[in-house]
Amino acid sequence: MNVDKIMNELEKKNPGEVEYLQAVREVLESIEEVVNENPQIEAAGIIDRLIEPDRILTFKVPWLDDKGQVHVNRGFRVQFNNAIGPYKGGLRFHPSVNLSILKFLGFEQIFKNSLTTLPMGGGKGGSDFDAKGKSDAEIMRFCQSFMLELWNIIGPETDVPAGDIGVGGKEIGFMFGMYKKLTHTHVGVLTGKGLNWGGSLVRPEATGFGCVYFAQEMLKTKGTDFKGKTVAISGFGNVAWGAALKVTELGGKVVTISGPDGYIYDADGISGEKIEYMLELRASNQDIVKPYSYEFPNSKFVQGTRPWEVKCDIALPCATQNELNKEDALNLINNGCMAVAEGANMPCTPEAVELFLEHKILFAPGKASNAGGVATSGLEMSQNSMKLAWGKEEVDRRLHEIMKNIHEACVKHGKDSAGFVNYVKGANVAGFLKVAQAMMDQGII
Ligand code: NDP
Ligand code: 2IT
């Protein structure tokens, strides 16, 4: 396999799709060795078939605002690969959404879902809709219009969307309602549903919890844990919230959260009511973290920069892609940071990842460390199929077990002869091998 040649061709076919090309290159570079050792993979054209999505649906989403004015957004669903199960992956509503971002996310999702050990293929979707400042009625009309197009290609055994940036319980509810009305069925077509209509306990916390469980396993390999550790977190959304809860529970101190406007530094620790306040802040639809510093005056708001300049033992980037660059990585390393676990998808740039690996920092790529969200979505699907609901402890136990297994798989495929674990390589190889085998078993389709 010649990675540069494949990437040159992919770039010609998908010009300007920066995030997508970045995600593919990372995976190909990690799996090059294993592909070259297994000629049947190349003979079956696995790589060429993997980097082309099965299908992409693009559609118009017209909706009326509260003043009666018409707006038109663009909707997408990328069904990337269903070799090991129905397409599965979130929907992102954010003004920055474009096809490149959704293809990168869908591609990552293939390997992430494979790592969970649950039967789920990879997909992603969303819209460039901006929820900022919108009323609930406007969000409802938008979600209904979005589902009017999407419903036809999804289903509990076909494609099961969920949340991502800008899509939480509220939006899932509005979309589920419309799907139900159109199909006259009450089925597990979406995950992240409300608890009393098919949702799973622990799903809201799952991505953040899973990320911390994964980091805990990495720390264990160095004979340590979260107790007494200082932790920098970015973002103030669903993932950041879950991570802050679990870090605090395990005895760590979260000192930062961030938004597009800057970051909050709270030396006393972001715990208890402060973590709950994050949810309020997020729900306010203002999309700024600054108000935290008015609410908790001992904290400090630092405008326009990112939390990676703060001294910490562990960093958990939980906001968005490419939010931690080379300079940030250098800051973290120079400040003595020992572990970085990605809560978001691809938050660290390739240059930052390279530096972490070079300096032998414990580094967990998102497809391993944030897999707890989709894993718990998988558990929600299982409960929906059985028409039963597990208790909180049962779901959390399974989530914890899955994260430990993902860590083990990364170690198995990522440990070098000197004993250093390259979790990027480990996650990519482990995720890839299972999907490649399934594709070979199923013929050229
Ligand atoms: P939320 O919408 O709850 O929060 C997202 C956070 O990131 C907000 O603070 C948001 O602020 C910020 N953000 C979004 N886009 C940008 C941007 N371009 N620049 C700076 N900040 C930005 O989303 P989640 O917490 O659910 O998602 C966070 C990350 O975790 C994403 O990468 C997502 O793909 C990933 N993830 C989510 C999972 C889930 O189950 N929800 C599962 C696995 C991964 P603002 O909106 O103001 O920009
Ligand atoms: O990036 C992700 O894994 C998610 N947004 C969760 C997807 C899901 O189907 O739960």
Side-chain angles (χ1 to χ4, degrees):
M1 173 167 86
N2 182 333
V3 175
D4 284 333
K5 187 163 167 272
I6 297 173
M7 288 310 301
N8 278 338
E9 280 166 19
L10 197 66
E11 206 165 338
K12 268 190 222 142
K13 264 188 166 173
N14 304 278
E17 294 192 357
V18 185
E19 296 84 0
Y20 176 54
L21 295 166
Q22 178 184 335
V24 175
R25 179 176 279 282
E26 185 214 273
V27 170
L28 295 190
E29 284 177 349
S30 301
I31 62 172
E32 188 174 6
E33 200 181 314
V34 72
V35 171
N36 289 337
E37 282 165 4
N38 293 281
Q40 72 276 22
I41 293 178
E42 198 139 25
I46 296 295
I47 305 301
D48 288 346
R49 290 198 282 138
L50 248 182
I51 58 181
E52 187 67 26
D54 287 355
R55 68 191 64 78
I56 299 174
L57 176 69
T58 313
F59 51 94
K60 180 172 75 177
V61 190
W63 56 279
L64 282 178
D65 69 17
D66 290 341
K67 296 193 194 86
Q69 209 174 334
V70 181
H71 298 265
V72 177
N73 284 98
R74 191 171 281 179
F76 305 89
R77 185 70 182 166
V78 181
Q79 295 184 329
F80 225 113
N81 185 292
N82 63 355
I84 62 170
Y87 303 107
K88 179 83 194 91
L91 296 170
R92 177 178 290 192
F93 293 169
H94 195 271
S96 63
V97 161
N98 57 37
L99 198 52
S100 168
I101 289 178
L102 296 181
K103 280 168 70 181
F104 121 62
L105 290 164
F107 185 72
E108 289 284 289
Q109 203 80 45
I110 303 171
F111 310 100
K112 185 196 302 192
N113 293 1
S114 165
L115 285 169
T116 66
T117 67
L118 302 173
M120 302 182 290
K124 198 84 187 188
S127 173
D128 56 0
F129 175 72
D130 187 359
K132 214 171 284 179
K134 305 289 187 300
S135 70
D136 281 357
E138 289 171 329
I139 291 175
M140 179 182 75
R141 287 193 292 274
F142 172 80
C143 289
Q144 291 176 337
S145 179
F146 186 84
M147 188 50 83
L148 268 174
E149 281 287 337
L150 188 68
W151 74 276
N152 210 14
I153 62 156
I154 61 173
E157 309 294 343
T158 323
D159 183 350
V160 184
D164 193 80
I165 291 179
V167 178
K170 179 165 67 185
E171 292 77 13
I172 293 290
F174 292 146
M175 288 190 275
F176 185 83
M178 189 47 125
Y179 181 88
K180 190 170 62 95
K181 189 172 177 70
L182 289 164
T183 62
H184 293 192
T185 56
H186 193 297
V187 291
V189 64
L190 294 163
T191 57
K193 298 186 289 299
L195 271 185
N196 47 6
W197 45 276
S200 174
L201 283 160
V202 192
R203 178 63 188 90
E205 299 93 334
T207 312
F209 275 24
C211 180
V212 175
Y213 289 150
F214 194 94
Q216 206 181 7
E217 291 304 303
M218 295 202 301
L219 294 173
K220 227 188 255 174
T221 66
K222 301 282 175 203
T224 186
D225 56 27
F226 271 96
K227 223 166 280 156
K229 299 281 191 303
T230 300
V231 181
I233 293 183
S234 64
F236 67 114
N238 175 262
V239 180
W241 165 75
L245 276 176
K246 189 50 82 176
V247 167
T248 308
E249 189 190 314
L250 295 177
K253 184 160 85 168
V254 176
V255 292
T256 66
I257 52 171
S258 73
D261 53 334
Y263 74 90
I264 295 288
Y265 176 68
D266 188 339
D268 298 339
I270 300 172
S271 61
E273 57 160 347
K274 297 175 179 174
I275 300 179
E276 293 316 310
Y277 176 74
M278 258 164 82
L279 286 185
E280 266 173 59
L281 201 57
R282 188 76 192 126
S284 71
N285 267 358
Q286 293 182 80
D287 281 339
I288 47 172
V289 285
K290 195 175 179 181
Y292 181 104
S293 60
Y294 308 141
E295 192 73 18
F296 305 105
N298 269 353
S299 69
K300 186 170 86 177
F301 172 68
V302 185
Q303 192 169 349
T305 51
R306 297 184 282 215
W308 316 126
E309 59 198 25
V310 168
K311 186 170 167 51
C312 65
D313 303 306
I314 298 159
L316 305 176
C318 295
T320 193
Q321 66 274 358
N322 293 328
E323 54 151 321
L324 192 163
N325 63 23
K326 188 175 171 180
E327 199 191 328
D328 299 321
L330 271 176
N331 274 337
L332 286 170
I333 293 165
N334 290 336
N335 279 332
C337 175
M338 66 178 300
V340 179
E342 295 186 330
N345 284 305
M346 207 168 76
C348 301
T349 64
E351 297 77 24
V353 176
E354 205 178 303
L355 269 174
F356 291 141
L357 296 180
E358 215 173 273
H359 285 81
K360 307 273 188 257
I361 304 289
L362 294 167
F363 173 73
K367 64 170 71 69
S369 46
N370 74 35
V374 73
T376 308
S377 278
L379 299 177
E380 182 172 329
M381 289 165 74
S382 306
Q383 293 169 80
N384 291 165
S385 297
M386 294 189 298
K387 309 219 183 293
L388 283 174
W390 288 322
K392 191 172 175 172
E393 273 169 23
E394 172 77 6
V395 181
D396 191 39
R397 184 186 62 73
R398 286 176 186 266
L399 165 65
H400 202 160
E401 199 61 37
I402 288 170
M403 297 314 295
K404 282 184 182 171
N405 289 340
I406 297 176
H407 181 269
E408 213 169 282
C410 291
V411 171
K412 180 176 169 200
H413 293 280
K415 200 176 200 166
D416 67 19
S417 50
F420 174 70
V421 182
N422 179 335
Y423 288 89
V424 178
K425 182 178 177 205
N428 285 330
V429 171
F432 167 74
L433 283 176
K434 182 171 156 192
V435 176
Q437 189 58 58
M439 289 174 75
M440 287 190 285
D441 292 346
Q442 294 167 17
I444 313 292
I445 43 164

